Every structure is written in C-alpha cells, then in structure tokens.
C-alpha cells in the first residue's frame, strides 16, 4: 500500500518547476517572476481547504490481476499508444517480413500491425483475458499463454521480437532481454517500447479500480535508461536506435472540483490545477522510450 495525497502531488510539481528554474532551464528571462509566482501559488495551495482533506491508501496490484481488471478498457483511450505507435512503426517499416514474436502482446495491437506488414506472428502474454481479446482482434495469429522470463518458444525461432509497454512491470530487465536474445535468429531484431522513467517519476502508472471501487496502481518499476542498455548488451544485442517521444499533455481546463472528483484514478489530472508549474516541470520530458536492438 502507498499513501497518495493531492496536495503532495501539487507541491511536487511546484518543486520540479522551481528546481528547473533554479538551474536556469526556465530561459525566458522571467526567472524571478516565475519563482515568486510559484512561491505564492504554494501558499495558496496550502491554504486551500479543498486540498486539506485526507489522501487515499492505494494498493499496488500485481500485473496479472491489474491487467485482468484493465483488459476490457485497455484499448482506449490510451495516451501511451499515441506516444509509442509512430516511433515503433518507423522502425518496423524498415524490417523485412519474417517470423515475429509479439511478447506481452496484450490485446493484439502490435500483433495486428506486424501481421499487416506480412510477418508470421506469434503473440505471448501472461493474461488469459488479454489473450482472449487478442484472438478476436487478430484471428490469423497464434497466441500463447506465457511469461516474459520464460518464453514458450525454442531457441533461434524468430526474426523479430516486439515488446510494448510491459517491461516496466518487471523488477529486472536482464531476464526478459536474455529471453528475447535466446529466441532470435542471427541478425534478428528487438523493438521495445516502454514508459519513460521520467514519466513514471511523475506518477504515470497504470491505474485501476477494484470490484468495490477502491483505486489501485499496477506495480511498475522505474528503470533508468542505462538499465535497458546494460541488459541488452549483456544479452549480446547491439544497439541500433533509441527514441524518446515527447507528447504534449493537453486537455480542456478543469475546475478544482472536477480534478478532485477524478484524481484517485488519474492522479496526473491534478497537474491541471498548476498549469504554469506543470508547463515548466514537464518541458521536453519524454513520455515513452523506444529501443531497437539487433542480434549479431
């Protein structure tokens, strides 16, 4: 269980913005004005009785349980898809058709894209509920129940491995990257998209509600970018590309009442209450990281 409080999130965003201004990243020549406005806004936040109530105890849910609950609404709207799809597609467009594994295939979003490019696709996922939706979505693809750290495929059986928005749920990157390398043929490709560690640091963790309406967060781990590279190199893979898509987080203005009504499920909605601090705190911060590795 973790404890989340709306005021704590807002003060954290103010703090991130102030740190960037303190180190000179707020480069519009208004650093003094910006800092003084942030301090004044912090005082207003501390005095706002609507933010003074208790926070919530939030359960960290294991990925199997979390994705079973999330499966019905996973495909939309999902802002992470808008962030990773163009970068992943640009890499896949350069890889010739072959035998492909979509690891942690979910509801078959990437498997469908691979099949559409002429690949012979096998999808693997640990969630039976996700696999049921994937089979309906891409009927020509074989889907198997399996684990990222023990893939149900023989050595050297595929030319391409894709893995989208899943490795963040594992505590260590070495085992899945070793498995990706094991099932690859010589010269095969690995294309990974994942939540960027900067996004996770700002609270962008998959959220759910349980059967009685209590908020939960699917267990996620903040992996520094170097961890991906070290795990891939240790598995004998070679780096071909790394992209860090930046997606603007825009939406209609929200009132305090609207934000407080939904923040338990979407904590990042709180940023709407401090738009100027959020603009600076999130400036040029990537949402997603996309990796392209290749076996020698």
């Amino acid at each position: 269980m973790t404890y989340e409080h709306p005021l704590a999130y807002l003060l954290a965003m103010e703090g991130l913005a102030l740190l960037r201004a303190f180190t000179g990243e707020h480069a519009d020549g208004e650093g003094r004005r910006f800092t003084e406005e942030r301090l004044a806004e912090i005082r207003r936040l501390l005095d706002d009785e609507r933010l003074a109530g208790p926070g919530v105890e939030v359960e960290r849910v294991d990925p199997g349980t979390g994705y079973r609950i999330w499966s019905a609404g996973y495909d939309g709207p999902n802002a992470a898809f808008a962030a990773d799809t163009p970068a992943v597609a640009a890499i896949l467009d350069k890889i010739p058709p072959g035998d492909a594994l979509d690891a942690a295939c979910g509801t078959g979003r990437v498997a469908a894209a691979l099949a559409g490019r002429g690949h012979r696709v096998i999808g693997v996922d640990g969630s039976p509920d996700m696999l049921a939706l994937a089979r309906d979505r891409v009927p020509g693809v074989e889907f198997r129940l399996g684990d990222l750290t023990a893939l149900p495929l023989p050595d050297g059986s595929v030319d391409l491995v894709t893995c989208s928005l899943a490795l963040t749920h594992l505590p260590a990157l070495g085992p899945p990257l070793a498995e990706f390398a094991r099932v690859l043929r010589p010269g095969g490709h690995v294309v990974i998209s994942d939540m960027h560690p900067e996004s996770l640091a700002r609270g962008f963790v998959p959220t759910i509600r349980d059967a009685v309406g209590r908020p939960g967060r699917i267990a996620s781990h903040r992996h520094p970018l170097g961890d991906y590279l070290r795990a891939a190199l240790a598995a004998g893979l070679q780096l071909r590309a790394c992209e860090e898509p930046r997606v603007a987080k825009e939406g209609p203005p929200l009132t305090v009442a609207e934000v407080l009504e939904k923040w338990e499920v979407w904590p990042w909605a709180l940023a709407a209450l401090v738009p100027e601090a959020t603009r600076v705190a999130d400036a040029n911060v990537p949402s997603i990281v996309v990796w392209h590795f290749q076996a020698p």
Side-chain angles (χ1 to χ4, degrees), residues 6 37 41-42 77 86-87 123 126 129 155-158 169 179 195 242 245 253 255 258-259 274 283 294:
E37 287 182 353
E41 187 166 61
I42 288 171
D129 299 270
D155 296 357
S157 56
V158 298
H169 299 307
E179 277 294 275
M195 294 304 296
C242 177
T255 66
E258 289 171 329
V259 169
V274 288
Q294 188 173 13

Side-chain angles (χ1 to χ4, degrees), residues 100-102 105 111 120-125 131 134-135 138-145 152-153:
L101 164 66
D102 186 19
C105 63
R120 297 173 294 277
V121 185
I122 296 173
V124 172
D125 200 274
L131 287 173
R135 292 186 180 104
V138 200
V141 167
E142 178 185 357
F143 291 99
R144 302 177 183 176
L145 186 67
L153 279 81

